[in-house]
Amino acid sequence: MNITPLDITQKSFRRSFRGLDSEEVAAFLALVASEFEGLVRDLNTQREENRRSSDELVEHRGRERALQETLVAAQRASEDIRDSARKEAE
């Protein structure tokens, strides 16, 4: 069951003889709802931050892969040039 801050603030209790102080219960529920709302807000912020970080990570991995491929191509080109120069020198 998902509970929201609104659920907390709108919760009502049955009245009974010698029951709890309704004002105290209402004040406590308001406090709990406020704290809960802050936690939900923080959680949503963290989730968004996590999503952005994951997107950035995927982007960086793509760049890393491209750089590695470029490095391998440059090494091959360097070896080809070296081999060509060696053959020409012979």
Side-chain angles (χ1 to χ4, degrees), residues 28-39:
F28 181 73
L29 287 176
L31 176 64
V32 169
S34 175
E35 290 294 319
F36 188 74
E37 185 176 7
L39 291 172

Side-chain angles (χ1 to χ4, degrees), residues 2-3 5 8 11 13-14 27-28 42 48 56 64 81 87-88:
N2 290 334
I3 188 168
I8 295 170
K11 175 66 179 161
F13 299 92
R14 288 178 294 157
F28 181 73
D42 290 346
E48 179 61 27
E56 285 180 20
E64 179 185 25
I81 292 170
K87 285 180 185 177
E88 191 176 309

Side-chain angles (χ1 to χ4, degrees), residues 15 18-27:
R15 297 198 185 269
R18 296 174 110 21
L20 301 173
D21 180 0
S22 61
E23 288 180 13
E24 188 177 348
V25 170

